[in-house]
C-alpha cells in the first residue's frame, strides 16, 4: 500500500516552454502533497506544500508564478514549470501525506531544459 | 532554522564490513526523525521513523537509533544490494521534512 506515482518519469523541453508534472496517490487519499527539487549530489529541498481545494504554500525563495501547483482532487497534484530555463533542470519529486507524520514519495521526474 | 547534517558524505565498505552513518539534527519541535534509502534516479524509500531519544528500530541489516541530538544508522554485515544513498530527515512541528545531504554507501563484493 501507500504507492505514489509521477508522470512523466523524464522530460526534455526547449527553453521558454512550460512543462506539467503529475503526482498521484494510487491507493490512498491525500489532502496534502509536497513538491521537492533535488540537484545532483544534493539533498531534497522542499519547494511547496500542495493542499487539496486551496492554494499551495511556497517555501522562501521559490517563485509561485514560475512553479504553478494545482491540487484538484484527493489523489492528484500537478506542478507546472512555466517558461522553463536551463537552470530549472533538476529532479522533481513529490510526496503524499498519508497521516500527519507519514509521507510517501513518488519515483521522481527528471526535467532537462535545453 | 532547522538543520540536518549527515556524515560521512560517502562510505565504501567491503561486503560484511559493518559501519555506522551519522545524522546530527537541530529541528524545532521534532515530530520524528526519518531514515530513507534512495537509489540513483529514484525517489526516497521509507526505512524508519524514530520519535524519542533511546528509541531503536531494526529492519534486516539496518538498525536506527536516536539521541537528543543525533541519529545513527548501523549497517551490519552489509551486502552489495545495500549500496544506496541513505537520507536522514527531521519533521518539525508543522510536519515538514528537512533533509540532510545523504551518505552514499558503496558495498563491494
Amino acid at each position: 500500500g501507500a504507492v505514489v506515482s509521477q508522470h512523466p518519469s523524464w522530460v526534455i523541453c526547449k527553453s521558454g516552454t512550460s512543462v506539467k508534472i503529475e503526482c498521484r496517490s494510487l491507493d490512498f487519499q491525500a489532502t496534502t502533497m509536497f513538491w521537492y527539487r533535488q540537484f545532483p549530489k544534493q539533498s531534497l529541498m522542499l519547494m511547496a506544500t500542495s493542499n487539496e481545494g486551496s492554494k499551495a504554500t511556497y517555501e522562501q525563495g521559490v517563485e509561485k508564478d514560475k512553479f504553478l501547483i494545482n491540487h484538484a482532487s484527493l489523489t492528484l497534484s500537478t506542478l507546472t514549470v512555466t517558461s522553463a530555463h536551463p537552470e530549472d533542470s533538476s529532479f522533481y519529486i513529490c510526496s503524499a501525506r498519508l497521516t500527519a507524520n507519514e509521507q510517501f514519495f513518488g519515483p521522481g521526474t527528471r526535467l532537462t531544459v535545453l | 532554522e532547522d538543520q540536518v547534517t549527515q556524515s560521512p558524505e560517502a562510505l565504501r565498505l567491503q561486503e560484511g564490513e559493518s559501519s555506522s552513518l551519522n545524522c546530527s539534527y537541530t529541528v524545532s519541535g521534532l515530530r520524528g526523525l526519518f531514515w530513507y534509502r534512495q537509489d540513483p534516479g529514484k525517489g526516497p524509500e521509507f526505512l524508519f521513523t524514530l520519535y524519542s531519544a533511546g528509541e531503536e528500530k531494526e529492519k534486516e541489516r539496518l538498525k536506527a537509533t536516536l539521541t537528543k541530538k543525533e541519529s545513527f544508522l548501523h549497517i551490519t554485515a552489509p551486502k552489495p544490494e545495500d549500496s544506496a544513498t541513505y537520507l536522514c530527515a527531521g519533521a518539525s512541528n508543522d510536519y515538514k521534512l528537512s533533509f540532510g545531504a545523504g551518505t552514499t554507501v558503496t558495498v563491494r563484493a
Side-chain angles (χ1 to χ4, degrees):
Chain A
V3 178
V4 177
S5 70
Q6 280 184 243
H7 179 80
S9 54
W10 59 269
V11 57
I12 301 173
C13 70
K14 292 182 178 180
S15 186
T17 60
S18 295
V19 173
K20 181 186 284 188
I21 302 170
E22 293 185 349
C23 176
R24 292 181 187 274
S25 55
L26 297 185
D27 50 2
F28 66 102
Q29 293 183 332
T31 55
T32 302
M33 294 184 176
F34 300 93
W35 287 96
Y36 296 84
R37 183 165 51 181
Q38 186 176 34
F39 291 106
K41 297 197 182 298
Q42 294 185 29
S43 194
L44 281 75
M45 295 299 294
L46 179 64
M47 298 174 66
T49 303
S50 170
N51 301 295
E52 189 269 337
S54 64
K55 289 183 179 180
T57 54
Y58 292 81
E59 296 301 301
Q60 193 171 8
V62 177
E63 298 175 58
K64 62 180 180 182
D65 294 331
K66 181 169 185 62
F67 299 99
L68 301 179
I69 291 172
N70 184 279
H71 196 148
S73 76
L74 288 172
T75 59
L76 173 64
S77 175
T78 60
L79 170 70
T80 301
V81 183
T82 62
S83 187
H85 291 284
E87 57 265 31
D88 298 322
S89 298
S90 188
F91 193 50
Y92 291 86
I93 305 174
C94 73
S95 70
R97 174 182 277 171
L98 178 62
T99 66
N101 215 14
E102 287 181 290
Q103 291 181 38
F104 291 88
F105 287 82
T109 297
R110 173 76 57 194
L111 170 63
T112 302
V113 185
L114 301 176
Chain B
E1 185 181 327
D2 296 337
Q3 269 200 315
V4 177
T5 305
Q6 291 187 247
S7 63
E9 287 186 20
L11 193 58
R12 294 176 64 86
L13 301 172
Q14 199 68 34
E15 184 172 5
E17 179 189 359
S18 301
S19 189
S20 293
L21 284 57
N22 176 268
C23 171
S24 300
Y25 66 91
T26 307
V27 175
S28 59
L30 185 76
R31 297 291 188 183
L33 191 291
F34 295 76
W35 283 97
Y36 293 89
R37 170 189 170 126
Q38 187 177 28
D39 292 305
K42 303 281 182 66
E45 174 189 342
F46 172 77
L47 293 174
F48 304 108
T49 311
L50 302 166
Y51 292 101
S52 56
E55 189 175 359
E56 297 183 353
K57 287 192 177 174
E58 281 188 75
K59 179 180 179 181
E60 295 180 359
R61 296 176 292 281
L62 301 177
K63 177 179 172 181
T65 62
L66 183 67
T67 72
K68 287 187 177 179
K69 294 183 179 179
E70 294 177 303
S71 179
F72 294 92
L73 184 67
H74 309 277
I75 309 179
T76 302
K79 297 182 177 182
E81 53 262 41
D82 295 322
S83 298
T85 296
Y86 291 87
L87 300 171
C88 169
S92 59
N93 50 16
D94 59 1
Y95 298 103
K96 291 181 181 178
L97 293 178
S98 296
F99 279 87
T103 295
T104 299
V105 175
T106 305
V107 183
R108 295 165 291 174

